[in-house]
Amino acid sequence: MMKQAGVDPSQMEEMMKEMGGKMPSMEESVEAMQEMMNSPIFEEYMNDPEKLEQSRQMILNNPMMKGMMASMPGFDEILNDPEKWRETMVAASNMYKNMGSDLSKLMDGSLGDMGAFGGMANPALDELSEGED
């Protein structure tokens, strides 16, 4: 199943060994995501329409990934439109970057609702869900 999803089981095993055989905590996962999104490589990737299109094509060519993505409300339309895909990925990236440490609070349930972001993330979320009313 992992191979069908495009994941190399030996690489996954190696990653688990490097982490001491345990899954990272939510805080560690959020920190890693923040580091990744603030890296120059990620910025380069997000600013390259060709690379974003390659990632969309990889999903479209993987039945399992395509099914998972298409099952999310509104994502089938996004997945099938290169421009909407790029816009959504950029908006999601910006949303996560703007959340900063609030993301880890949200993930561990420390924030009661999205209003706790002081409106910072709401425009990005509205943009991502536009047209789903």
Side-chain angles (χ1 to χ4, degrees):
M1 183 167 181
M2 288 175 72
K3 284 186 180 183
Q4 287 177 325
V7 176
D8 182 347
S10 62
Q11 287 180 326
M12 186 67 93
E13 285 177 27
E14 186 61 34
M15 283 175 38
M16 290 299 287
K17 285 179 190 175
E18 290 175 9
M19 295 186 303
K22 66 177 182 86
M23 292 297 291
S25 70
M26 186 60 71
E27 186 176 327
E28 291 169 327
S29 297
V30 169
E31 286 176 20
M33 188 153 190
Q34 289 293 320
E35 285 179 30
M36 177 195 72
M37 293 187 137
N38 290 320
S39 74
I41 293 171
F42 187 78
E43 282 295 321
E44 180 182 326
Y45 179 85
M46 292 304 291
N47 290 319
D48 186 339
E50 193 172 304
K51 288 182 180 176
L52 286 172
E53 176 59 16
Q54 287 172 351
S55 67
R56 188 180 77 86
Q57 289 299 322
M58 286 173 49
I59 293 168
L60 288 171
N61 291 321
N62 182 319
M64 186 173 148
M65 289 296 296
K66 182 179 179 182
M68 286 182 356
M69 296 288 284
S71 70
M72 291 186 272
F75 251 79
D76 190 42
E77 182 181 341
I78 292 167
L79 193 56
N80 289 303
D81 183 330
E83 186 60 27
K84 283 185 182 180
W85 172 260
R86 188 188 67 73
E87 290 171 0
T88 302
M89 294 302 102
V90 170
S93 172
N94 289 333
M95 180 182 72
Y96 281 114
K97 285 179 188 177
N98 290 336
M99 284 183 180
S101 64
D102 287 339
L103 181 60
S104 61
K105 291 177 190 172
L106 176 66
M107 297 299 245
D108 71 11
S110 300
L111 296 175
D113 64 2
M114 290 305 286
F117 286 110
M120 180 167 50
N122 290 338
L125 289 175
D126 290 343
E127 186 176 326
L128 287 175
S129 63
E130 189 174 298
E132 291 182 26
D133 295 327

